[in-house]
Amino acid sequence: MRHIRPKKNVKRASSQRRRPVSPRHQGESRPQIAEAPTPTIHRAAKPLLTGIGKPDPSPFIPDPFQVEASEKIMHCDVLVAAPTGSGKTWIAVTAIDQYLARGARAWYATPLKALSNSKYEEFGQRYGAERVGILTGDRKENPDAPVVVGTTEILRNQLYDAMHAGRDLDVDLVVLDEAHFLGDPDRGVVWEEVLIYAPSRVRLLLLSATISNAKAIADWLTHIRGSECEVVLSEQRPVPLRVLFHTPEAELTPFLRGSRIFPKAADCAKLERKRGNSAYQPLDMNGIVSTMREFQLLPAIIFLKSRADCDKALQVLRPHPDASDEEDFIEAIKNVTEFYPELRSRPQMDHLITRRAASHHAGQLPAWRLLVEKMMTLGFLDVIFSTSTVAAGVNFPARTVVVTQSDRFDGKSFVDMTATDLHQMTGRAGRRGMDNVGFTLIIPGKFLDAELIKRLVLSSPEPLRSRITINFSMTLNLLLSHSPSEVRELLGRSFAAFHPNPSQARKSQRRLQKEFQKHLNLLEELDYVDEQGAPSYDGRWAAKLRLDHPLLIAELIRHGAFENLAPDLLAALIAPFVIDKDKQVFMSRVTWDLTRPLWKQFRRMIRKLKPLAAFLVDRGFDVPPILFWPAAAAFTWAQDIEWDYLAEHVGADEGDMAMLILRTIDHLRQLVSLKEEKPQLADTAAQAIDMLARSPLI
């Protein structure tokens, strides 16, 4: 267990003036671009390319499973499990149409703000802007509209508020997109909470591509809601998927022969893995892309192991051989950069235009990723180099998905990929209405276990399991509307407690109740709830802090750590609570000099937190690391400097820095919600948001 402590950076660099500087990537030496071998194809692979190309235009006719789901949602809850690209959005839109025709309201929940923004635009065009609202934390527009799009966390918070006020949720249909997030280790608890708390009269429509135990989930929902939940399944991909293998000599072969790896592919994969363990050779990206271009397998998403690998692959790629639509491409870029002018100077802009390619990962600015996604969707890009983040919820289809590894980073270390992971990735291959067939292309190398990939290709996604956990925010919010015994009853309705083995079900229920009691006891000790479990005055306002670490921030508020602070200092002191990873980053001498006024306040905050940290550790709770660099980054950005200056002098990846600032803004909004109980703090938080919320972040 970690104790709270500030850490000083060891490395420091000097800088003379506080001004915008050139991006860090300029001045890097360009990798040598080797000649690619001539692409060839094994005779056994030729049948796999049969029918490649675009289908003839034809009128849309819904598939039977789509019609079935749209009919059933008018009478019962529905869980739809169908392959990516099969038309689940059509079901959602048809359901919304039917409910709107009745004068009812609909809520469309997604796991990602970017996906919510996309659906907001799509629904605005369909229903009219005045009939669609959006709630994501970043945006709150037209919240009383008959159709609301937002993140699942916001929907969960609305359910908390409705239970506290003793009123029904003012919505008739809830659509949960990407419902397989129920099994996400970090965020699955939010999906499960929504399903437990949603009133039974509210119709639920769950949409997912990767749920193998859909019947078990539907039975659980039927059990806890008292109304039928039916499953609608479709295992037929709208675009057939074929699996190919690419040798280092640029030859395409089949990957499988029945249930075995194709012999030449098996031999090559073993040799390349063995060779990689002794002397790692980077993948020949030009050879891979040339092969795909030769055999009409583009556009493609190439999944790579790390952010750095994605950027390096883009650097070595040769210029695109055809620039016939360059004027249209440049115009499309201008339409985006008009709103985000900072993107014009991005280091990879030249590569985007001349290579018709881009890297796409969480280390980049959200606005840059948006530009890449739009250009790919419009058909201007041939290749995307990406980490696995693009597989989760981003609408990013291509003709081919390229797999170069059999493991993935889980936030802490590299672990073997699961069948669900692989299905999420390969689900992007083949675009309905644009491709007759889609492809998965396997590339051998150091990080690819071909036998594991074979098993995953031939396997169904793993069953989803409950990820429900107890936290302080959940405990306080439930106690606002339930007694402790009623909360225990709610926990008994969790998916974890719904198990075919009664003994296992009781064990899961006891575990949750024990965790709840542990949180309740600590809240009683700190006087956030009374002996009967009812929240005190402090407990009621602390319940509004729907954060990762609400208790730490609530205690700082109680002990006056945020009183009489300037807005930039308040933003800085909140920022460390949005970072859970104990990872230091480089800060220049200029940054250290600029943040001197902050250091005194930061140490003062740490001193106030130390007794609480010791108390929590003694009671068996983990305490997150509280680092100085996030505070320094937020403070520096609040000084109205330019983004390139911040990126130059704080050594975090731009995407990580953007996420830090955006999550700090989200946390500050929680303080704004305390305007009745803590008006001065709420006002300062609002001013801090104004200092942070500017281009290129919004």
Side-chain angles (χ1 to χ4, degrees), residues 457-488:
V457 167
L458 298 175
S459 300
S460 298
E462 291 78 12
L464 297 186
R465 60 188 182 90
S466 174
R467 299 293 185 174
I468 193 165
T469 55
I470 311 301
N471 55 61
F472 288 112
S473 181
M474 176 198 294
T475 302
L476 281 171
N477 276 279
L478 290 178
L479 289 173
L480 289 173
S481 52
H482 299 78
S483 67
S485 60
E486 290 170 333
V487 173
R488 295 186 186 95

Side-chain angles (χ1 to χ4, degrees), residues 410-424:
D410 67 356
K412 298 178 181 178
S413 61
F414 282 93
V415 298
D416 282 347
M417 198 181 290
T418 66
T420 299
D421 296 328
L422 187 63
H423 280 262
Q424 279 289 308

Side-chain angles (χ1 to χ4, degrees), residues 137-180:
D138 291 345
R139 302 177 69 181
K140 182 179 181 180
E141 300 175 25
N142 204 10
D144 297 321
V147 179
V148 173
V149 181
T151 54
T152 313
E153 280 82 359
I154 298 296
L155 176 58
R156 188 274 314 272
N157 292 345
Q158 287 195 345
L159 287 165
Y160 279 156
D161 293 337
M163 289 188 294
H164 182 204
R167 56 176 171 78
D168 200 1
L169 185 70
D170 187 19
V171 66
D172 305 282
L173 170 69
V174 166
V175 181
L176 287 172
D177 201 356
E178 305 288 344
H180 57 272

